[in-house]
Each structure stands twice: as structure tokens, then as C-alpha cells.
Amino acid sequence: MQLVPDIEFKITYTRSPDGDGGGNSYIEDNDDDSKMADLLSYFQQQLTFQESLLKLCQPELESSQTHISVLPMEVLMYIFRWVVSSDLDLRSLEQLSQVCRGFYICARDPEIWRLACLKVWGRSCIKLVPYTSWREMFLERPRVRFDGVYISKTTYIRQGEQSLDGFYRAWHQVEYYRYIRFFPDGHVLMLTTPEEPQSMVPRLRTRNTRTDAVLLGHYRLSQDTDNQTKVFAVITKKKEEKPLDYKYRYFRRVPVQEADQSFHVGLQLCSSGHQRFNKLIWIHHSCHITYKSTGETAVTAFEIDKMYTPLFFARVRSYTAFSERPLSVSVHE
């Protein structure tokens, strides 16, 4: 399923969406008005023309159990926020909108899409301009994706050691992967490992991963004057509490200069093929070491060469299979 902004402006109905033969209740089309311009307004009109008690949906079959249409609008919208969840699973919201006309109207609620935009861009998206709706902004404005992981595979040939008799020299083919996982609250995970995606992707579902080699940090989106969207992140290794070693407590150790190490990453966000915002191209990678005793920082910039292959997005269904918290108004800078 592909999310299309303002899809209601692009759909034409020639019969009743209910398929119940009740075409008489619909406005008849003539030669000049053969297309339905606004599906959302049309559904709202049809619900208004129905019974005096306005309900978003009606049960198809009579049942003694309480139908969801009995719930107040505030409760329904709260359920829809749980569907979106704090992971911004707008794909599930679009699937929910296909249930009936009432759910379609709820799924187009501007407040839901406004909160989603605030979660992604923070206070930089206060104004809608140049977009016509919050939904259009979320679907059209460049952003990183949260329902999966960006993956790259690097392969190269390395020369091995010469044999003892000097007759031949071995060559090794080296393969490793880079994984980058973004979260709506501004956190990011990065991992470089030779393990394949089948075994590593499930471990990156949450920030509380037990993988030792993973790097944790924060990211931000930046749109320059050249209209290109870039992602900048600062990541560090997981802090581990070292237990006290009482076995050698009476030995005098050589003091080691303590330092904080962090990695600065710059990526350009692109689209390729029919997928949007599914490609990250390396533009910067450096290591910053700050010595606590002096406060000095040593910076080592890595050359972006062919070893830095682009990362492509892969959707992971298990990342949005459960909702831990509903969509809220909390935003990150």
C-alpha cells in the first residue's frame, strides 16, 4: 500500500461506495460534473443526510453486543491515536480508513496529522505553507522513515599473508553491513557488523538493545538552501558499568587518561525508484575524542570513499506490530 497525499481529490465514484444499491441517495452526475472532487467532504455530506442521530458508522448485522459506533467521538479519536502510536505508524491509520466512511473521516482528522508532523520536525513545522494540509506535509516533506531500518552492504577484497613456502598468497573477500535505525523522538541506533539482516534486524526494534557494538545517539534534519535534506547525528558507545576488581586492588596501576569518544555522521536523504526517502548517502563521518583532564578535543575525519556505500530502507513489520503509547503532543527540538 502506498500513501498518497490528498487521495480524495483523485478518486472518481461511479456507484455507491457501500455497494448496497442505494444510489438514489447520491448526487447524480451530469456531463459537466462527472468527477467527485472531494471525497472527504462527500462522505461528510452523506453522513449528514442520514438519520437525525449522526453516527460515523452503522453495524451491518444486528447484534446484541455494543457496536463501536456507540462510542463518543473523543473515545474514537483516542483509539485512532493508539493505532498511530508513538512510533508514527500512519500506514496502519490508512488501512483503518478503508473500513468505512466514518473511519475514513476520522483518519483524515487534521489534529492527528499535525501531531505527527510535530513529532518529526518539531517547532519548525508550525506553518503549513507551502502545503495545503498536515497530511500532505507529512507525506511530501522529506523525512527519515521509522517503520524499518536503513541497511548497506560493503564488500571488498583483502590480501592475506603469504604461505610459509612463499608459493602463494591468499586473498579474502570481506563483507559487512551497516544498520541505521531512526526513532520519532530523535534517537538513532547505528551498528556495523558482519552479521546478516535476518539475525540483526529484530534486535534493533527498541533502543534498549543488548547488542554491545551498537552506537546510540541523537539526530536532526536539516534542509539547506540547495533544497537537499540532510541528516546529522552524534552517536556514542553504550556506557557500561565496570565492576570493581578486588583481586588486584593492592597493585599499583598506571593511570589512564580518561576521554569521551563520539562519532559525527552526515547523510543526505534521497528517494530512489518508486520509494520515497528510502536512500541515505554518506557525506561526513568523523571521530571526536575529548580528554577530560584538559578539555581538548581531537577530531579525526574519515575519507568518504567507495567503502561508504549508500544505505537503503527496508520496512520491518514487527517494528509497528505493537503500540506501547498513543500519539501525543511531545516533540523534540
Side-chain angles (χ1 to χ4, degrees), residues 216-279:
L216 308 175
H218 294 79
Y219 73 93
R220 63 179 178 87
L221 298 176
S222 175
Q223 189 168 11
D224 296 337
T225 55
D226 55 0
N227 206 27
Q228 293 182 347
T229 301
K230 297 180 176 59
V231 185
F232 296 100
V234 178
I235 51 181
T236 59
K237 293 183 179 180
K238 295 175 59 177
K239 294 183 179 180
E240 300 180 355
E241 296 183 0
K242 296 182 179 181
L244 296 177
D245 191 358
Y246 294 100
K247 183 177 180 180
Y248 302 101
R249 59 181 177 179
Y250 297 110
F251 288 85
R252 194 171 185 180
R253 296 184 178 182
V254 179
V256 179
Q257 189 174 9
E258 296 184 357
D260 291 331
Q261 185 185 47
S262 62
F263 297 91
H264 292 228
V265 174
L267 302 160
Q268 181 177 336
L269 183 62
C270 307
S271 300
S272 64
H274 299 288
Q275 300 293 328
R276 310 203 64 185
F277 323 131
N278 68 327
K279 184 178 180 180

Side-chain angles (χ1 to χ4, degrees), residues 297-315:
T297 301
V299 180
T300 303
F302 304 107
E303 181 181 359
I304 305 299
D305 52 13
K306 61 181 180 179
M307 306 298 289
Y308 287 86
T309 55
L311 298 101
F312 291 91
F313 181 79
R315 179 171 168 260

Side-chain angles (χ1 to χ4, degrees), residues 6 8 40-41 44 56 73-82 84 90 93-94 96-97 101-117 128 132-136 138 327 329:
D6 299 330
E8 57 267 19
L40 179 60
S41 299
Q44 291 173 338
L56 286 175
M73 177 64 73
E74 294 80 5
V75 178
L76 279 175
M77 296 311 303
Y78 188 67
I79 294 176
F80 274 64
R81 291 190 184 185
W82 267 101
V84 178
L90 277 307
L93 181 68
E94 292 292 295
L96 186 61
S97 68
R101 289 176 293 176
F103 281 16
Y104 184 94
I105 295 174
C106 291
R108 293 299 188 275
D109 180 55
E111 183 63 15
I112 291 181
W113 293 93
R114 187 185 73 87
L115 294 177
C117 291
L128 272 175
T132 58
S133 65
W134 294 108
R135 182 173 182 271
E136 182 185 0
F138 185 86
L327 177 64
V329 297

